[in-house]
Amino acid sequence: MFYVRVVKRAAEESRKRLLARGVFAKGYPVILGKTYVYFPVTEKVSGYVCVGKKVRKVSRKGPAAIGAYDLIGDIALVPENVDRSLAKKLLRASNIHAVFRRKGVHEGEFRTRAVAWVAGDKRTETVHTENGVVMKLDVATCY
C-alpha cells in the first residue's frame, strides 16, 4: 500500500486534491505523525512524496458497523441502511431491547418520522430518563 506524505498544515487541501484525482484509497487508515500526515493512495502520485507502509484495510464489524444511532430508553433507532443481522448484533452488545429503522424524512406539524421494526421486542413504548426526568413515550408517535 502506498501513502503520500504531507505536512500537517497542508493536509486538508491535499486530501481534497487526492479525492478529486480519484487516487485516495478509501477504507485504509490515515496515519498522523508528529509533523506529517500520511494519506493512503491507490497508486504513486506525482508531486507528492510516496512511501510504502504495511497496513490492513479498516473493517468495521459488529455494532460499530452501524455508525450513529439514536437511543431512546431501551429502543435504538438506526439508519435506513442497517440490516437485521447488524441489528441483532446491537441487541447482544448493549442494554437495548428493540431496534427500529428510521424511514423517510421528517413530516407533519410536529416533524415526526416513521419507524419500522427490525429486531428485538415489537414494542414502541419505552421509558426514557434525561437530566433526572423520567418520561414514558412512544417512539412511533413522537420521534
Side-chain angles (χ1 to χ4, degrees), residues 7-8 12 16 33 40 55 57 59-60 80 83 90 98 103 105 107 113 115 117 119 128 132 138 140 143:
V7 177
K8 273 190 175 180
E12 183 61 23
K16 288 178 182 177
V55 293
K57 193 167 186 174
S59 66
R60 294 171 56 181
E80 291 182 2
D83 62 357
L90 184 61
K103 288 176 54 179
V105 295
E107 55 189 34
R113 190 179 219 178
V115 295
W117 176 81
H128 180 71
D138 186 347
Y143 176 73

Side-chain angles (χ1 to χ4, degrees), residues 30-107:
V30 174
I31 301 171
L32 298 174
K34 238 181 184 177
T35 55
Y36 296 104
V37 176
Y38 297 89
F39 291 113
V41 290
T42 55
E43 59 192 48
K44 288 189 175 183
V45 183
S46 62
Y48 290 96
V49 176
C50 291
V51 294
K53 293 210 179 268
K54 290 185 179 182
V55 293
R56 291 187 197 161
K57 193 167 186 174
V58 176
S59 66
R60 294 171 56 181
K61 296 180 181 177
I66 293 172
Y69 60 89
D70 293 325
L71 185 61
I72 301 173
D74 61 353
I75 296 177
L77 296 146
V78 297
E80 291 182 2
N81 62 346
V82 174
D83 62 357
R84 190 172 172 88
S85 64
L86 283 176
K88 285 185 176 183
K89 288 179 183 177
L90 184 61
L91 285 171
R92 286 191 299 267
S94 58
N95 192 24
I96 295 172
H97 295 114
V99 179
F100 286 84
R101 182 181 296 127
R102 302 178 198 126
K103 288 176 54 179
V105 295
H106 294 91
E107 55 189 34

